[in-house]
Amino acid sequence: MQYKAATAINGAALIIAGAGSGKTRTLTYRIACMISQGIAPQNILALTFTNKAATEMRERIKSIVGSQNSYLIWMGTFHSIFSRILRTESNAMGFSSNFTIYDTADSKSLIKSIISELGYDETKYKPNEIYSRISKAKNALITPNAYAANERLLEEDQKQKKPYIFNIYAAYVKKCKLANAMDFDDLLLNTNILFRDNVNILEKYQNLFQYILIDEYQDTNYSQYLIIKKLAEKHGNVCVVGDDAQSIYAFRGARIENILNFRNDYPNYKEFKLEENYRSTQIIVNAANSIIKNNTNQLKKECFSKSENGEKIGVIQSYTDKEEGFLIANSIIDAIRKKRITYSNFAILYRTNAQSRIFEDALRRKNIPYKIYGGLSFYQRSEIKDLIAYLRLCVNNNDDEAFKRIINYPARGIGNLTMERLQILANEEQKSLFDAVKSENIASGEIKSSTQKKLQDFVKFIENFTSKIFTVDAFEFAKNLAVESGIIADLTQDMSIERKSRYENIESLMNGIKEFCDNEKANSDNQSDFITTINEYLDNVALITDSDNEKAEDADKVSLMTVHQAKGLEYDHIYITGMEENVFPSAMDELSLNELEEERRLFYVAITRAKTKVNISFSQSRYRWGKLTRNKISRFVREIDERFLETKLDYELPINKLDNNNIIDNFDATISPPAHTHTVTTIIKRPQLNRHTPSANFTVSDYRDVRIGMRIEHNLFGYGKVIDIDKYEPDGKMIVMFDDNFKRALLFKFAKIRIVK
């Protein structure tokens, strides 16, 4: 079926790809087949949802058709491809090609400033809520004028006692235009406007993109759907790949209707179903099928697996949410010992980020290293945003958000009052802050002459670097700017732990810029005269998604994340936690049928992340706002065919009055459940730990004293011999062969070991 889908390259095609069915492989070979049949690679448009997916696909294609062909393909995320088109056609939109792409933090900062300037109450008009409202409007292709004329939207705002959102929206769009900036939603909205208002430009790209492929089509929103439909009108060669059973992003504007109605949009389409799951065991696939069949709104398919039957789905029931965390931590330790696998094989999934605390506490107490997905992105760290803001302002002098961020960093004596007066002048003259500093009227304002000079010196400094953009490569440009701006001096004036960490982050950014320059040069035709400019690097950084940020040093750790963040990932062992009504699915009394079906699809996604083992956990009681509440087992757990569960479930287990603190303090001992008033089936799985008892003289040794060949004692695993060491750094590790013949990798910053000899 993969072969059929890959070789039927003409006309419209719908590839329904179940979890783990090899859709990336199929897309890769479909593109390779096109090129082998003489289709020019530059006439192929391939759209993905992450840079990581695009990079993986390009590398696979390169191995088949060669480097030059692979890099001529228009391949990337929706936002990266559309930003490239918008930069090329920027004049038609009234922007210059060096426009800045605002991230969420930039947008919220600008909205906050607008709320203040308009004199609205920030406790009522909260920037986060207003940003979300504007984002939804843009993704529905509603411009400020259309918003102001939409009675339904205005009525909704009136009911929420926020009647002036349309004013904030209009001011926001105007400020972005003045700053020569677009936000992420603008990249879609403005592409639609570009094609709507410029028939010649639309025809240009219709002629260019003769073959269009879209990955994860079920995740497209209305704006993306319309762009694809317009581009595919001329040639009709559009291939979409997706799985309606994994449509879980309605809250972002994704429309499952896009994939469900594909056959109506393209009546002469061909359909291919990739139903064999190459990732998971038969039991996992069958269990997932038994859940998703309960949805009514779906494209029918029957996924199957030819791999081993596998282990049944484990069920971990706890009395409290704290106990749930420690049962899972102990289960991980037990699996590592029995199966001799590493931490990186495990992922703990939960419905909301707020649930992570319980598991973090449990893992820390057991010395289990972990990483959390969806935490603070590297590019959102303060010091990184500072340097990026300097770079952005050099590329786009009108970038007000960058200007405001760095005008007084490092400190140059320019305070809030000066900025308020400068903003007033900029508003009066309809100029950016940068241009307002150069205005003849700045002298007639209330800004002191000494402060005026500081502002003008700053502007000259930025202009000097702006003049070098196309003559100095991105790495040298950024390095010189970091030094001459005073950022490096500020971070090295004292080497406190905090400043040292920030300095190391700047070093890491520089390494990333260097790597980007080297990669771009390696892929260029004329390497001798090739220069990667800083604006090319900034464009790349602006379009990086959270899923593109995983670091190598995070490799051997248990992964913690929401189910939404897990989509597209896979692990040997998956723990799906908090499987209770009003947790997963969430707030049942508030869910419509469509929303309930999306929650079920979310559970389906969670189960199909696993290769070999799924464990489901739920708690009889959970604290909510300080009150201990009783919970019912999630209806989704009850929908799993019991043939695929390790234990038959008893859905009416009574609540037990246990002291939460006692459970934690005595958890290493085996806890017997209290006597019940009637007989029940107990399905708590408490692994026997057989932990090593440290010797009486056990004291933790300095990792820098450890050498290969030494015998050591670990506080948990007992005695062993060091057989290898990977760098003497806190994030380094030693490989130890323990007396139980189990080889383990121990991270220095977590390992508690004593050198024996």
Side-chain angles (χ1 to χ4, degrees), residues 317-323 327 618-623 628-631 650-663 671-684 686:
Q317 178 175 322
S318 61
Y319 300 115
T320 67
D321 48 0
K322 279 190 177 180
E323 188 186 14
L327 285 171
F618 46 91
S619 172
Q620 289 186 38
S621 61
R622 189 176 296 274
Y623 273 101
L628 194 64
T629 59
R630 179 173 179 171
N631 306 308
D650 187 321
Y651 301 113
E652 300 300 330
L653 289 174
I655 193 76
N656 298 286
K657 294 182 179 179
L658 290 179
D659 182 346
N660 236 10
N661 292 324
N662 264 349
I663 289 175
I671 304 172
S672 298
H676 299 308
T677 54
H678 61 280
T679 304
V680 297
T681 303
T682 300
I683 54 175
I684 297 178
R686 293 190 176 86

Side-chain angles (χ1 to χ4, degrees), residues 622-635:
R622 189 176 296 274
Y623 273 101
R624 295 198 170 190
W625 296 100
K627 183 180 179 181
L628 194 64
T629 59
R630 179 173 179 171
N631 306 308
K632 293 182 180 179
I633 297 173
S634 168
R635 67 187 63 198

Side-chain angles (χ1 to χ4, degrees), residues 449-572:
S449 57
S450 58
T451 306
Q452 289 177 35
K453 185 175 186 309
K454 292 174 184 174
L455 288 167
Q456 289 160 353
D457 287 345
F458 173 77
V459 164
K460 289 176 183 175
F461 172 79
I462 295 297
E463 286 179 331
N464 177 48
F465 271 88
T466 298
S467 67
K468 301 175 183 176
I469 284 175
F470 297 104
T471 58
V472 179
D473 100 321
F475 174 71
E476 292 298 327
F477 187 96
K479 184 175 70 172
N480 294 340
L481 185 57
V483 172
E484 294 182 36
S485 65
I487 290 177
I488 300 299
D490 177 69
L491 296 179
T492 55
Q493 63 180 337
D494 71 69
M495 290 307 281
S496 63
I497 293 175
E498 181 186 356
R499 268 199 165 87
K500 186 173 184 292
S501 175
R502 292 172 64 196
Y503 176 81
E504 289 170 349
N505 286 336
I506 293 292
E507 180 185 12
S508 179
L509 178 68
M510 290 299 176
N511 293 339
I513 298 174
K514 178 63 173 170
E515 183 180 344
F516 178 77
C517 291
D518 290 346
N519 287 341
E520 291 295 296
K521 186 171 184 177
N523 294 318
S524 67
D525 294 328
N526 185 8
Q527 295 189 13
S528 59
D529 299 324
F530 187 83
I531 290 179
T532 302
T533 60
I534 197 64
N535 48 351
E536 291 174 292
Y537 172 75
L538 287 176
D539 204 25
N540 175 70
V541 167
L543 297 165
I544 286 176
T545 61
D546 288 343
S547 59
D548 300 315
N549 285 330
E550 186 177 0
K551 302 182 186 68
E553 59 264 29
D554 286 340
D556 193 20
K557 296 180 182 179
V558 174
S559 297
L560 274 66
M561 69 192 82
T562 65
V563 183
H564 282 101
Q565 289 157 341
K567 188 169 179 293
L569 303 177
E570 58 182 41
Y571 296 88
D572 285 329

